[in-house]
Amino acid sequence: QLQLVESGGGLVQPGGSLRLSCAASGFTLERYAIGWFRQAPGKEREGVSCISRLGGSTNYADSVKGRFTISRDNAKNTVYLQMNSLKPEDTAVYYCAADRSLFTRNQAICVREVMDYWGKGTLVTVSS
């Protein structure tokens, strides 16, 4: 019953922008820290950006810092990832994940091991 659904992926040219959305159903998103992860073919899933349950803390991978922005609208039960200045190396399946732990949900811990729920992913392809 608890689901995370990503949307907004697609094909964009280098230098372009894309906004990903992560919508929650079956639970109240404000009780969870949320992370965006990505996985390219043959690569391990890596943390991209995470946000604490109330949005007070954020964390970004060095590779996306200054280009990506994570935000959340708890009233809409949705978290966003605004991606600007996209590069071919950003090509991957992007996953939304939720952390419900009382010990970590007030932080922006961006590692796979702390996440309790995962979406099915949305493909982002950056190519000319």
Side-chain angles (χ1 to χ4, degrees):
Q1 294 185 18
L2 280 61
Q3 296 185 64
L4 294 168
V5 180
E6 304 95 334
S7 62
L11 174 64
V12 297
Q13 294 184 346
S17 297
L18 208 60
R19 189 179 78 159
L20 305 183
S21 298
C22 174
S25 63
F27 62 99
T28 302
L29 194 61
E30 68 179 2
R31 298 189 181 121
Y32 300 79
I34 300 295
W36 284 100
F37 295 76
R38 67 186 182 187
Q39 187 168 22
K43 304 290 185 179
E44 293 189 2
R45 193 172 301 186
E46 63 176 352
V48 177
S49 183
C50 295
I51 188 167
S52 59
R53 59 186 289 266
L54 298 180
S57 297
T58 58
N59 194 4
Y60 296 91
D62 289 340
S63 59
V64 307
K65 194 172 299 181
R67 299 188 297 120
F68 291 9
T69 302
I70 191 170
S71 63
R72 66 188 302 158
D73 187 340
N74 287 338
K76 296 181 178 179
N77 232 25
T78 303
V79 172
Y80 305 96
L81 183 67
Q82 179 66 46
M83 304 185 294
N84 298 324
S85 301
L86 284 163
K87 304 175 181 179
E89 51 263 43
D90 295 318
T91 297
V93 176
Y94 284 71
Y95 298 89
C96 175
D99 166 28
R100 68 175 296 177
S101 174
L102 296 176
F103 302 104
T104 56
R105 68 181 186 179
N106 292 317
Q107 307 172 57
I109 307 299
C110 224
V111 296
R112 293 174 295 172
E113 288 77 10
V114 306
M115 299 298 169
D116 300 295
Y117 306 100
W118 293 84
K120 295 181 179 180
T122 184
L123 177 63
V124 172
T125 302
V126 185
S127 177
S128 60

